[in-house]
Amino acid sequence: MKNKHDPRHLKRISNMQAVFAYQLGNSAKISPDYHQIIKELPRLDQIISDNAPKWPLEKINRVDLAILRCALWELVIQKVNPPKVIIDEAVELAKEFGTDSSSSFVNGVMGSAIKRLNIPVTSPPAPHD
């Protein structure tokens, strides 16, 4: 996150807040990607469960869960931004909105998911002319 007013950061906050509201049974808060994220919850939740096996979904802090769902949607479904950017943003959101341990938990689950799903974190080197 380079700037708290960056439109991409603000969009991620909006998505996270909408998913958080959905988890509480309130769908009044809608974000640009809300319906696409909600549609993929079974797949996203399976990825979270696979990568946080000691934490059943109902035991995960609701803010952390919303952040993970949005970040994994961006990483696995949307595939627009580089994985490192998605992870960094998820950790920043966890620091900003979660508990003291949220950022390390989110980072751990995202790191595990990237390894398990075999997603490269760095870009391949540019070809030389």
Side-chain angles (χ1 to χ4, degrees):
M1 176 185 74
K2 296 188 191 256
N3 179 338
K4 287 190 180 220
H5 302 291
D6 180 290
R8 293 168 297 187
H9 180 69
L10 296 174
K11 182 178 177 185
R12 286 183 177 107
I13 290 172
S14 178
N15 284 341
M16 183 269 302
Q17 289 173 334
V19 171
F20 181 79
Y22 172 83
Q23 293 169 170
L24 298 177
N26 178 0
S27 60
K29 174 81 173 151
I30 304 274
S31 72
D33 301 314
Y34 172 82
H35 294 290
Q36 294 170 12
I37 297 168
I38 299 306
K39 181 179 90 174
E40 297 292 342
L41 284 184
R43 183 175 177 190
L44 301 171
D45 287 351
Q46 186 59 55
I47 295 169
I48 295 167
S49 295
D50 290 346
N51 292 286
K54 294 182 181 179
W55 288 92
L57 291 177
E58 61 275 1
K59 298 288 186 188
I60 296 175
N61 174 304
R62 294 290 145 205
V63 171
D64 297 352
L65 185 58
I67 292 167
L68 285 168
R69 285 170 163 170
C70 292
L72 287 166
W73 173 80
E74 204 176 335
L75 180 73
V76 176
I77 310 298
Q78 192 181 39
K79 299 180 184 178
V80 173
N81 295 301
K84 184 162 179 25
V85 170
I86 296 168
I87 294 168
D88 289 348
E89 277 286 325
V91 170
E92 286 302 316
L93 289 173
K95 288 178 183 176
E96 188 174 348
F97 295 100
T99 65
D100 289 342
S101 59
S102 291
S103 60
S104 59
F105 178 73
V106 167
N107 189 49
V109 174
M110 292 297 294
S112 177
I114 283 191
K115 285 179 189 168
R116 188 173 283 213
L117 297 170
N118 203 24
I119 297 171
V121 178
T122 57
S123 303
H128 290 77
D129 290 330

